[in-house]
Amino acid sequence: MTLSPARVPASGARRLTTTLYGYAFLDDFVLLYPVYALLFADTGMSLWQISSLFALWSITSVVLEVPSGAWADAMSRRRLLWIGPLLTAAGFALWVIVPSYWAFAAGFVLWGAGGALGSGALEALVYDELDRLGAAGRYARVMGRARAARLVGTVASLGLAGPVFAQGGYAAVGAASFLACVLTAVIATRFPEHRVRPDDAGDSWVTTLRTGLADVRGDRSVRGALLLIPAVAAVWGALDEYTPLLVRDIGVAEATVPYLIMLIWAGVTVGSLLTGPAERLGPAGLAALLAGAALALAAGAAARSPAGIALVSLAFAGFQLAEVLADARLQHRIDESRRATLTSVASLGTELATVATFGVYALLGTGRAHSTVFAVLAIPYLVTALALVRGRAATARP
């Protein structure tokens, strides 16, 4: 039986998106998320030791972020996508089998390495496969839905962690997390990958990295699209860590805090799902989106009420939507052979800017309410919106 040309792309797109959504869900379906800090404390780790573990995790991600993107352009991206979850699974196994400081440290190095291998490789593989099918214009919509699947996986893991932990303790949630990682790796093997890999032509990852960075220096549009990602993603990504403190400060009961946090994450999920209708926004539309979200963030935080938290949720929805659209802008501007490399460079910028935001938050938060700090940190988004408008005006000049 001969398939018609119209059905071949449809079948290929269905396989790609189904695999992607399953991969994204399981990759964040980690029952250890809400309890691993408790595991460290119950093992006898001091606050200093726990903080050093988190720092090691971040350092591993930062160090490997760009090299892993270059590897993804110099070898099979699908291979990296299934190796990464297996490294994370090995780290989780160490945590529950031989709980100790050095086992936790090794686990975070493995987890950081696993995450770095997938960063850049996933976006590059999805974009190139959609482009091969003539559907590159659907990239923002597809990745928005993938992010929504991740959020559903996170929420599901948070909901199941309690009863699983009550039944089997750390061993049970560790085993469930290990299994989820293994299943993620299995699903990753189903990703289609049709590109001719640069390693067939003899290019090394060092050459790929050097060429990719040269593209950034030489092409203003690529440089602008790359810098936009950390400008959009870093601040609200850091603020997310402080939302429980913001919510508690409005005076609600402790038992109400998780429900308002879920409201915020419901907004983020909605933002992910709106990428389809919004993917044609130009620079002016994206600037308006960022400015509106910034004003909602400042007003919501300053309100110090449950209604204000709803505005914060709306702001986070706008930031999530803008982040996916910024990623799509970058993917449309870079070459296939260096796609993962430059995506990882953008991710590195986001990591560094997020760490800087943590420092700014600590500085501003000394002696000030969390609502005040949230409102002040809306300002960078207004600056980014203004930069987008000015850039568009400069491009429009003859």
Side-chain angles (χ1 to χ4, degrees):
M1 177 179 176
T2 303
L3 294 175
S4 66
R7 293 195 57 181
V8 174
S11 175
R14 191 179 306 114
R15 175 187 171 187
L16 173 65
T17 55
T18 301
T19 304
L20 173 64
Y21 301 152
Y23 179 92
F25 174 86
L26 285 172
D27 197 37
D28 271 20
F29 185 68
V30 178
L31 271 64
L32 274 168
Y33 276 161
V35 299
Y36 62 71
L38 302 179
L39 169 62
F40 303 156
D42 289 348
T43 307
M45 300 297 103
S46 67
L47 181 59
W48 181 89
Q49 287 176 311
I50 293 173
S51 299
S52 69
L53 291 172
F54 292 153
L56 180 62
W57 188 18
S58 297
I59 291 170
T60 302
S61 298
V62 167
V63 169
L64 293 180
E65 184 67 56
V66 174
S68 68
W71 296 335
D73 282 333
M75 63 182 69
S76 168
R77 293 163 180 166
R78 178 172 57 197
R79 185 189 309 160
L80 296 181
L81 290 175
W82 65 256
I83 290 175
L86 293 182
L87 293 178
T88 304
F92 291 159
L94 281 175
W95 285 3
V96 295
I97 294 174
V98 284
S100 64
Y101 179 82
W102 295 111
F104 297 148
F108 268 129
V109 170
L110 289 169
W111 193 357
L117 290 182
S119 177
L122 181 64
E123 293 87 349
L125 184 148
V126 172
Y127 188 93
D128 286 343
E129 288 301 314
L130 286 174
D131 190 36
R132 185 184 68 85
L133 297 168
R138 294 178 53 193
Y139 174 81
R141 179 180 310 190
V142 168
M143 293 306 292
R145 291 174 178 175
R147 294 192 182 211
R150 285 189 179 277
L151 293 170
V152 172
T154 299
V155 172
S157 67
L158 294 175
L160 287 175
V164 172
F165 182 79
Q167 291 294 320
Y170 295 118
V173 293
S177 301
F178 176 88
L179 179 60
C181 291
V182 172
L183 290 176
T184 304
V186 171
I187 287 181
T189 63
R190 287 186 37 76
F191 273 117
E193 187 176 29
H194 293 87
R195 72 184 184 118
V196 177
R197 295 192 297 275
D199 57 352
D200 296 335
D203 289 345
S204 70
W205 71 268
V206 176
T207 301
T208 302
L209 176 58
R210 186 184 301 117
T211 307
L213 294 177
D215 284 351
V216 175
R217 291 192 298 269
D219 191 324
R220 182 177 179 180
S221 68
V222 172
R223 185 166 62 251
L226 189 148
L227 292 174
L228 181 62
I229 292 180
V232 172
V235 174
W236 85 272
L239 289 179
D240 166 57
E241 303 296 332
Y242 299 97
T243 50
L245 300 175
L246 176 70
V247 170
R248 188 174 63 182
D249 272 7
I250 70 176
V252 299
E254 292 285 343
T256 307
V257 172
Y259 297 106
L260 291 177
I261 296 298
M262 288 185 68
L263 173 63
I264 292 175
W265 280 102
V268 176
T269 305
V270 170
S272 297
L273 295 174
L274 287 176
T275 50
E279 59 189 341
R280 297 191 181 187
L281 285 177
L286 187 56
L289 174 64
L290 287 173
L295 294 175
L297 176 64
R304 299 174 64 92
S305 67
I309 298 302
L311 279 177
V312 173
S313 175
L314 179 63
F316 276 27
F319 295 142
Q320 171 76 329
L321 174 57
E323 185 177 338
V324 178
L325 295 177
D327 174 48
R329 281 169 63 94
L330 177 63
Q331 301 303 330
H332 290 320
R333 285 166 171 74
I334 54 183
D335 183 74
E336 173 188 351
S337 63
R338 291 174 287 279
R339 190 177 306 284
T341 301
L342 296 184
T343 303
S344 289
V345 171
S347 296
L348 174 62
T350 300
E351 292 277 356
L352 295 175
T354 300
V355 171
T357 303
F358 286 143
V360 172
Y361 196 104
L363 182 64
L364 295 176
T366 302
R368 295 182 180 86
H370 292 287
S371 57
T372 301
V373 182
F374 268 69
V376 170
L377 288 177
I379 294 174
Y381 287 108
L382 295 176
V383 174
T384 300
L386 179 61
L388 282 170
V389 172
R390 289 172 63 89
R392 181 175 183 272
T395 304
R397 293 193 192 105

